[in-house]
Amino acid sequence: MRQAVGQARKARGRGAARIGVVAAIVLVAACGGAGEKAATPVAAAPDTILPVPAESLLTQDSTSRSILRGMALLVATKDSLPRHVGNELHCTSCHLNKGRKPFGNPLVGVTNRYPSLWARTGTTVTVEDRINDCFRRSLHGTPLPAGSAELRDMVAYLTWLSKDLPSGQHKGLGVDSIPLISPDTIRGKTQFAMYCSRCHGAEGQGGKNLGVQHPGPPLWGPHSWTIGSGMGRQRIVSAFVHHHMPFDAPGFVADSIANDVAGFIISRPRPDFPGKELDWPNGDAPDDVPYATKAKSKGAAPRQ
Ligand code: HEC
Ligand code: HEC
């Protein structure tokens, strides 16, 4: 609450439209949502439940330098690898806080979990495969060549990030889950204008020209993720939004609003991902995948 009021004060000098939005958030929080259960503030995801090694322990040796280069690639993916990134996103647009944020799609522990069987391809995949899959689906780009220095540096960073997390389950991984409520996309559109557009743009095009402190990446349109990205799933985007958005006031978007806004975002046009119908070849596509898959249409039972 104090943070939101601070933001409102800061915003005051910066234009009427933005004040309106921030004031609306403050108002919703202050009034306990005027009878709207959705506005009950939730606790922002804590930062302490994942064992993340300290950056200050890195030295100047070649391993440390590779780790630091990998970290930089995750943050400045497009600037560093323009030929491999086809949209306006970075890895850390979705893997928050350099892949370290609990429930923010963290990458802590990831190198301990691969190689492993992946239902979406029905094959055993390596961590390099998963990185390249995000290049193709989430960054609308092209994979890094096997054996390239960039891929090696990214894996070095993820290996370092994972060193204190034993394999297996751990609280804080993924995006958590929130109740899946059938989204009202009309309401989602209004809520998007209220809570999100000041940083992500009125047309979801991204906030880089809006002059805000934390411009958000595009959420739909030609410069956003493809329909084949994990971000395209209702469960994933709604839980992500619930825990982490608005970026400067996480906790104001409760279950039902997060579901409505996520449904609205997913319904918007975005780059296609050719071949997506071949995903989940064993017929176990989850129910929130936003496209038809051939194997599921043959009648195989979904696993979740
Ligand atoms: C548009 C959002 C988005 C962007 C951008 C993105 N990812 Fe992902 N990534 C996801 C989501 C969502 C998942 C998990 C869901 C899934 O399996 O698809 C994921 C999964 C992964 C995984 C597997 C994690 C695990 O625990 O199994 C790795 C590794 C990964 N991403 C690395 C990267 C790297 C490296 C980049 C940048 C080159 C990147 N991602 C860019 C959304 C994104
Ligand atoms: C104060 C600015 C701000 C507001 C308001 C905001 N976001 Fe974001 N959003 C960001 C930033 C910044 C990132 C990327 C995080 C990073 O780079 O560290 C982001 C990332 C995202 C992502 C993952 C990346 C992508 O392109 O899909 C989604 C989804 C998202 N926001 C949805 C929302 C929704 C829905 C709302 C409204 C409920 C919202 N945001 C409000 C700044 C904001």
Side-chain angles (χ1 to χ4, degrees), residues 74 77 89-91 93-95 105-107 110 113-114 118 120 127 130-131 134-135 138-139 154 158 225 229-231 236:
L74 256 74
T77 325
L89 274 69
H90 305 294
C91 306
S93 302
C94 304
H95 299 284
N105 265 318
L107 297 168
V110 73
R113 295 196 289 279
Y114 291 90
W118 194 28
R120 189 154 66 188
V127 75
R130 290 301 312 258
I131 293 172
C134 270
F135 268 104
S138 297
L139 294 173
M154 282 188 168
L158 299 186
W225 30 273
S229 167
M231 240 338 154
I236 294 183

Side-chain angles (χ1 to χ4, degrees), residues 116-302:
S116 121
L117 186 66
W118 194 28
R120 189 154 66 188
T121 53
T123 56
T124 296
V125 297
T126 61
V127 75
E128 287 88 348
D129 293 330
R130 290 301 312 258
I131 293 172
N132 274 334
D133 199 74
C134 270
F135 268 104
R136 290 162 63 237
R137 292 170 185 262
S138 297
L139 294 173
H140 196 203
T142 53
L144 292 175
S148 62
E150 289 83 4
L151 197 51
R152 194 190 56 217
D153 291 341
M154 282 188 168
V155 173
Y157 174 59
L158 299 186
T159 305
W160 172 76
L161 206 56
S162 303
K163 70 186 181 62
D164 298 329
L165 191 86
S167 57
Q169 288 305 310
H170 196 286
K171 194 164 164 48
L173 297 179
V175 288
D176 203 8
S177 59
I178 64 168
L180 199 62
I181 303 161
S182 181
D184 177 338
T185 53
I186 310 244
R187 221 167 50 169
K189 184 178 181 180
T190 315
Q191 286 155 344
F192 177 82
M194 211 166 123
Y195 295 108
C196 323
S197 63
R198 70 188 159 98
C199 295
H200 288 280
E203 295 300 320
Q205 75 277 21
K208 70 175 179 188
N209 298 322
L210 297 179
V212 288
Q213 195 185 358
H214 301 290
L219 297 178
W220 67 84
H223 306 296
S224 188
W225 30 273
T226 79
I227 191 65
S229 167
M231 240 338 154
R233 291 182 48 195
Q234 178 76 23
R235 275 176 211 280
I236 294 183
V237 72
S238 58
F240 181 95
V241 168
H242 171 70
H243 280 299
H244 308 292
M245 295 294 142
F247 191 76
D248 55 358
F252 284 100
V253 176
D255 297 350
S256 72
I257 295 181
N259 268 290
D260 290 347
V261 170
F264 170 65
I265 291 170
I266 293 166
S267 75
R268 303 279 78 208
R270 63 183 60 262
D272 190 20
F273 186 71
K276 60 187 182 307
E277 67 283 359
L278 301 177
D279 285 350
W280 286 280
N282 296 320
D284 49 0
D287 287 335
D288 61 342
V289 174
Y291 48 88
T293 53
K294 279 190 176 163
K296 195 170 184 184
S297 68
K298 283 186 202 136

